Amino acid sequence: MKEGVMGATEETFLTPVVPLDFTYNYYIGQYLTRYFEGFKEKKILGSKCPGCAKIAVPPRKYCGVCNKVMEEMVELPQEGILENFTVGHVVMEKGGKLSPAEEPYVLGLIRLDDNASLLLHKVEGVDPGKVSVGMKVKAVWKDQVEGDYWDLDHFEPA
Ligand SMILES: [Zn+2]
């Protein structure tokens, strides 16, 4: 019997496996609700700070720079600049298990306005080996938008 911290032995510890598989409702708040309402008209909305004029996209209530309440919603352009990206080779399945992706995919940080925060989204239509920082990308929407996260399907080279 090995003795560890404060007299604890290997037998002292249990290693339970607790598989969690449940559904629950998560209230996204009024700002993300407005964001997804904009999706019904294929609009990308952000909240603009009355203090420093920064735009948060997706919108949020408080400015991350000066902490003022942001009440003004502004529409952002559909095109932007790819500021950074990563190429993914694994996907997370339900339950958190990682497995190899069918093919490499690109996740980009996209600037839709000089004053706006960066929007994280999939970038498709370009070889992952040929993606470059600074390239112009544009939003691609699902044909049938429903006002949810999946309406804005991906970005592609503009
Ligand atoms: Zn601000």
Side-chain angles (χ1 to χ4, degrees), residues 117-134:
S117 60
L118 302 177
L119 180 65
L120 175 69
H121 220 290
K122 286 184 295 183
V123 179
E124 296 181 359
V126 58
D127 186 320
K130 292 183 177 158
V131 179
S132 62
V133 166

Side-chain angles (χ1 to χ4, degrees), residues 4-157:
V5 179
M6 295 171 66
T9 62
E10 282 182 17
E11 287 76 17
T12 307
F13 299 101
L14 297 172
T15 311
V17 176
V18 185
L20 297 174
D21 186 9
F22 56 90
T23 57
Y24 60 97
N25 291 320
Y26 170 75
Y27 177 57
I28 60 174
Q30 60 178 346
Y31 280 70
L32 280 180
T33 298
R34 288 283 307 278
Y35 185 60
F36 293 130
E37 279 173 1
F39 279 15
K40 289 179 187 168
E41 298 168 43
K42 298 187 178 179
K43 290 180 177 177
I44 304 171
L45 299 177
S47 56
K48 186 173 181 179
C49 177
C52 68
K54 294 283 182 202
I55 299 166
V57 56
R60 60 172 185 260
K61 187 169 184 177
Y62 294 100
C63 176
V65 177
C66 65
N67 209 33
K68 285 193 165 44
V69 174
M70 303 195 285
E71 290 177 341
E72 184 187 354
M73 288 284 169
V74 294
E75 184 182 350
L76 289 145
Q78 302 277 316
E79 283 190 21
I81 301 293
L82 186 66
E83 292 279 352
N84 214 330
F85 66 93
T86 188
V87 178
H89 296 272
V90 293
V91 291
M92 187 181 289
E93 295 172 7
K94 190 179 175 189
K97 182 175 177 277
L98 296 176
S99 60
E102 284 180 27
E103 52 188 41
Y105 59 94
V106 178
L107 284 177
L109 285 171
I110 298 150
R111 188 179 301 282
L112 296 170
D113 182 284
D114 286 345
N115 270 341
S117 60
L118 302 177
L119 180 65
L120 175 69
H121 220 290
K122 286 184 295 183
V123 179
E124 296 181 359
V126 58
D127 186 320
K130 292 183 177 158
V131 179
S132 62
V133 166
M135 68 189 294
K136 272 189 165 182
V137 291
K138 66 179 180 190
V140 178
W141 298 87
K142 289 226 162 108
D143 290 338
Q144 293 284 325
V145 290
E146 294 170 20
D148 64 29
Y149 178 82
W150 294 272
D151 289 345
L152 180 50
D153 193 63
H154 63 273
F155 282 76
E156 69 178 18

